[in-house]
Amino acid sequence: MKKVLLLITFLFATTAVFAQVNEKELLQKNEEAAKKLLEEKPNGWTKKGTFTFLANQATFNNWLAGGQSNVSGNIGLNYDFNYKSDNWNWDNKIIAGYGLTKIKDQDLQKSDDRLIFNSLAGRKASGEWFYSLFFNFQTQFDTGVDLATGVKTSHFFSPAFFQFGPGMLWKKSDNLKVNIAPATSKLIIVHQHFTELGPSFGVEQGDSSRFEFGAAINGYYKFTLVENVTVENILNLYSNYLEDPQNVDVDYTLNVAMKINKTLSTNLAFQLLFDDNAVGEGANYAKVQTRQVIGLGVNYGF
């Protein structure tokens, strides 16, 4: 667990250092853009989104060094719809992704599958602080299969994760904010046929749901590294008061977009998960999960 937290700290520190290198050059541009945005729409709804298609291909023919031909494709949606008034902020984000990989002589495999909705409402307290209430929902679109056994392990809405609770929000801007919620409820739902033979996603054998109560910290930081390169950091921490509160669940996502032109970009997505309720082969144990997707992307903004 300490190694995971150290890794997260290192990643945040690294991105912060890179951001500071170019801060002086970009500060003036960012301030001018922010002022322009505030002048155009100080209150009301702001909506924006990006649809991305990523493609990767590798072909080997009589290649002595070895290698497997493969092709993969990923589609993604990142959509924000936020409301602002003199005393209220209400930020909403939808993140969806689905990807497939085909390796020569093997069946199609999923490379990405997620549906996330985040909602965070805040009422002005003092300065950059807000009284807040947050809601988070996560699930997947398609069936998950254990490649070793061929057994189905998950499907749409199984599992489904819900988090909600009051707290305090520190918000510098839409691109830099931290929410602290010391009284957070968490609900995990899994179809009962996945728990017939044992626990699944933290839900005990024979059950279909698990309730937890604890503390959550959610951080968001997006900045321009250099011109046409943006870096987005999303960090979610959760501690369950009811069971092993010292084991903090970690969900960290890093998204880097390197814009080539108006429609093309190179995109990198990295996600790290740590959950001591994760189930491994034959036993329950704290498991670190990582996901990385990189490729040439076609972007459509709306």
Side-chain angles (χ1 to χ4, degrees):
M1 180 61 200
K2 292 182 179 179
K3 292 182 179 179
V4 174
L5 294 176
L6 286 172
L7 176 60
I8 295 296
T9 303
F10 173 76
L11 290 171
F12 260 85
T14 302
T15 55
V17 169
F18 279 119
Q20 291 175 0
V21 170
N22 298 279
E23 183 177 3
K24 292 182 179 180
E25 299 177 3
L26 298 169
L27 182 60
Q28 185 175 357
K29 292 182 180 179
N30 291 339
E31 289 180 348
E32 290 175 355
K35 289 179 181 179
K36 184 178 180 181
L37 180 61
L38 291 174
E39 291 173 358
E40 292 176 351
K41 196 168 186 178
N43 292 317
W45 286 97
T46 301
K47 304 174 185 179
K48 60 180 180 179
T50 304
F51 177 82
T52 304
F53 172 72
L54 296 179
N56 295 278
Q57 181 181 7
T59 303
F60 301 90
N61 185 24
N62 296 324
W63 191 254
L64 296 181
Q68 289 183 302
S69 298
N70 66 83
V71 61
S72 64
N74 292 71
I75 57 174
L77 173 69
N78 193 327
Y79 182 66
D80 296 273
F81 52 106
N82 302 333
Y83 177 81
K84 178 185 176 183
S85 68
D86 292 339
N87 294 316
W88 287 91
N89 274 273
W90 185 18
D91 298 341
N92 301 277
K93 177 184 282 288
I94 296 174
I95 300 174
Y98 187 76
L100 292 172
T101 297
K102 179 65 172 72
I103 300 176
K104 187 178 180 181
D105 300 326
Q106 295 184 20
D107 294 332
L108 278 173
Q109 302 175 20
K110 288 196 301 182
S111 57
D112 192 13
D113 188 5
R114 56 192 174 129
L115 175 61
I116 302 171
F117 172 65
N118 291 315
S119 185
L120 177 61
R123 191 183 192 286
K124 191 78 170 181
S126 177
E128 294 166 346
W129 286 95
F130 297 78
Y131 304 108
S132 67
L133 180 66
F134 90 100
F135 172 79
N136 171 265
F137 165 72
Q138 298 188 46
T139 189
Q140 62 188 60
F141 293 102
D142 200 2
T143 299
V145 178
D146 186 328
L147 296 178
T149 63
V151 176
K152 294 182 180 180
T153 57
S154 59
H155 57 59
F156 177 70
F157 213 78
S158 183
F161 301 90
F162 300 85
Q163 283 191 28
F164 50 92
M168 293 294 295
L169 166 67
W170 179 82
K171 184 176 181 180
K172 182 70 173 180
S173 68
D174 285 344
N175 292 329
L176 179 58
K177 51 192 171 184
V178 177
N179 186 65
I180 304 171
T184 297
S185 297
K186 181 177 180 179
L187 179 64
I188 306 171
I189 296 176
V190 176
H191 197 285
Q192 202 161 2
H193 58 234
F194 291 127
T195 63
E196 290 179 352
L197 302 178
S200 178
F201 296 97
V203 178
E204 295 295 332
Q205 183 175 356
D207 292 339
S208 60
S209 64
R210 172 187 173 93
F211 176 79
E212 298 180 359
F213 182 75
I217 298 177
N218 311 110
Y220 182 83
Y221 180 33
K222 182 178 180 180
F223 62 90
T224 300
L225 182 60
V226 294
E227 189 174 0
N228 295 328
V229 178
T230 59
V231 179
E232 182 182 52
N233 297 272
I234 305 172
L235 176 64
N236 299 305
L237 304 175
Y238 178 77
S239 172
N240 180 18
Y241 296 146
L242 306 180
E243 181 181 331
D244 299 324
Q246 73 278 6
N247 294 337
V248 179
D249 294 344
V250 179
D251 184 349
Y252 171 67
T253 300
L254 171 68
N255 295 314
V256 181
M258 294 164 276
K259 187 176 180 181
I260 299 173
N261 56 36
K262 189 175 182 179
T263 56
L264 293 177
S265 68
T266 299
N267 296 70
L268 165 67
F270 171 79
Q271 185 175 12
L272 182 148
L273 294 174
F274 175 90
D275 186 351
D276 68 330
N277 291 316
V279 177
E281 296 180 3
N284 290 334
Y285 65 102
K287 186 175 183 180
V288 176
Q289 307 169 62
T290 60
R291 177 184 66 88
Q292 179 178 302
V293 179
I294 186 171
L296 180 65
V298 178
N299 299 324
Y300 174 73
F302 57 93

